[in-house]
Structures are given as C-alpha cells and as structure tokens.
Amino acid sequence: MSFFEEKNPEMDRYLETHASAEPEILKKLRRETYQKTTQPHMISGYQQGRLLTIISQMMKPENVLEIGTFTGYATLCLASGISEKGRITTLDINEDLAYLPKKYFAESEHSSQIDFRLQDAKEFLKETDQFFDLIFIDADKENYAEYFRLIKPRTKSGSVVMFDNVLWYGKVLEENPKQKSTYVIKELNDLIAKDNDFENLILPLRDGVNFLRRK
C-alpha cells in the first residue's frame, strides 16, 4: 500500500490518473491477484509498475533479475523493456501461487524471455556467475541486507538495483525497532548509503524504493 493511498487517497487517485495507461494484461493480472490471493497488497501495483516499465524501457537491459515474483506483475513490467536477446530471471518459493504468474507469463509477448524459477534466491546468487544490468528485489525482507551483499558481486558499472518497501510503513524511523524486518531494512538502507561503489536515492513511491546505480 502506498503512503498516499492510506493517508491521502485523493492524491493517490490524482497520481494514477496522471500516469500513462496500464496495459490490458496488467489490468487483468491485478484484478485476478485481488480476487485469488490472501495478500493482494503485495503486488507492485500501477504506479510502481509504471516506474519499473519506464526504467526497463530506458535501459533496454540484456540480463534482468527479480527476487520475489508473487503474481508476476513487476516481472511483466520489467520484461517490457528488455533487449531483443534479453532475459529476465524471476525467483520465488511459493509453489501454491506459481500457477498465476505462469498463466500470465504464457500470455505475454515476452514469454520466451521470462525464466521463472521456484528457487531460493540466496542459493541462486551463490551459484550463478551471471552479471545483471537490472535487479529488482521485493521479497523476504529479513534477508534484505544479505541480498545486498550477495548481489553486489553480480553487478557491474551501470547496473541498476531497486529494493522495494524500504520505508516499511514509516517504521524505519523507529530508533529501537522490535521487528527483525524493520531492523534489517534499516541496516540495508545504512549499508547502501555508506557504500561508495553505488550512488542511490530513496524514492517515496508507495512504500519506498531504494534506487541504486553501480558507479
């Protein structure tokens, strides 16, 4: 859920009505996500989806990694800009929900370029020798700091990395957080801010996106 959606729904509607149109396949996927999942708020959603789409279309990346597929909304947004020979690897561990992203990936014009894997992301990152142009992470908040450590060697100059939910509904302002997830997200933001190999900015979009570029 976005800050404006909760605190100022009128502004949230204004932001949505002044963004480019949502493709039909994403409208269908968003609708079905709300109909068939117990936590539909986990979907990247319209505004964030537009951001991911624009970044991918600007970069034309060849190798994309997504950690946290959920129902595949963000995957399709990221896939929309990949190069002709490009590929997006998207990772999740929820076998019960896998039928839903698989359904929409098959319908997508980028179906042949989407590699959907039911695999633990930490295992994948320890095993792969690939370098990624664009990485989006939106899963398993308690491992965010570890993901950052593991993805860094898999980036190169110009690589873009995005971590979702880095404002954590404002809980990052807590001095002594009780939740481990809050503590780890604060740790992640501190690690990124102090890492001279990246330049970054936290975008206050929805629940916050930490946007990084490898120097």
Side-chain angles (χ1 to χ4, degrees):
M1 178 178 289
S2 72
F3 174 83
F4 284 121
E5 186 179 355
E6 183 177 356
K7 303 294 184 182
N8 191 333
E10 292 83 5
M11 179 61 75
D12 192 67
R13 285 194 293 271
Y14 181 86
L15 294 172
E16 291 208 354
T17 56
H18 288 79
S20 55
E22 184 180 33
E24 190 60 35
I25 189 172
L26 294 180
K27 286 182 182 178
K28 288 170 57 182
L29 174 52
R30 183 154 60 127
R31 189 181 309 118
E32 192 163 355
T33 298
Y34 275 84
Q35 291 172 343
K36 296 185 177 179
T37 68
T38 57
Q39 295 180 302
H41 65 278
M42 289 173 57
I43 195 170
S44 282
Y46 178 35
Q47 294 176 45
Q48 190 177 68
R50 296 302 85 210
L51 173 68
L52 298 177
T53 297
I54 291 170
I55 290 171
S56 183
Q57 292 179 349
M58 288 173 63
M59 291 182 65
K60 298 292 182 186
E62 196 161 297
N63 208 2
V64 181
L65 174 65
E66 179 186 33
I67 297 176
T69 312
F70 190 45
T71 58
Y73 190 100
T75 318
L76 293 176
C77 293
L78 293 165
S80 69
I82 55 179
S83 65
E84 187 176 339
K85 297 180 180 180
R87 193 164 189 81
I88 176 169
T89 301
T90 180
L91 308 172
D92 210 298
I93 57 172
N94 190 336
E95 296 183 14
D96 293 335
L97 197 60
Y99 77 93
L100 195 50
K102 284 181 179 179
K103 170 185 173 181
Y104 283 90
F105 294 164
E107 292 182 17
S108 168
E109 61 182 302
H110 304 287
S111 58
S112 63
Q113 296 174 287
I114 299 174
D115 181 10
F116 175 39
R117 303 187 186 188
L118 288 168
Q119 183 178 359
D120 180 84
K122 295 191 296 297
E123 291 180 5
F124 173 84
L125 289 168
K126 290 174 182 177
E127 295 170 359
T128 187
D129 59 358
Q130 298 180 75
F131 287 87
F132 297 96
D133 306 304
L134 179 59
I135 301 174
F136 179 57
I137 301 171
D138 183 16
D140 193 14
K141 307 301 184 276
E142 293 186 2
N143 276 304
Y144 261 22
E146 181 65 12
Y147 287 150
F148 178 63
R149 297 183 184 99
L150 290 171
I151 66 170
K152 184 175 178 179
R154 310 272 40 102
T155 61
K156 57 189 177 181
S157 178
S159 292
V160 169
V161 180
M162 290 175 284
F163 282 88
D164 197 16
N165 301 109
V166 296
L167 296 180
W168 206 225
Y169 306 103
K171 294 177 184 177
V172 290
L173 297 179
E174 296 176 2
E175 291 188 12
N176 298 297
K178 297 179 181 178
Q179 290 184 335
K180 182 181 177 181
S181 54
T182 305
Y183 177 85
V184 174
I185 290 173
K186 285 168 66 72
E187 180 187 6
L188 169 76
N189 291 334
D190 288 341
L191 284 171
I192 293 171
K194 294 174 183 176
D195 193 319
N196 292 326
D197 291 327
F198 291 92
E199 50 188 356
N200 83 295
L201 173 70
I202 294 179
L203 304 174
L205 178 70
R206 294 190 85 237
D207 193 26
V209 177
N210 207 326
F211 185 97
L212 302 72
R213 179 185 177 276
R214 184 77 187 255
K215 294 179 181 178

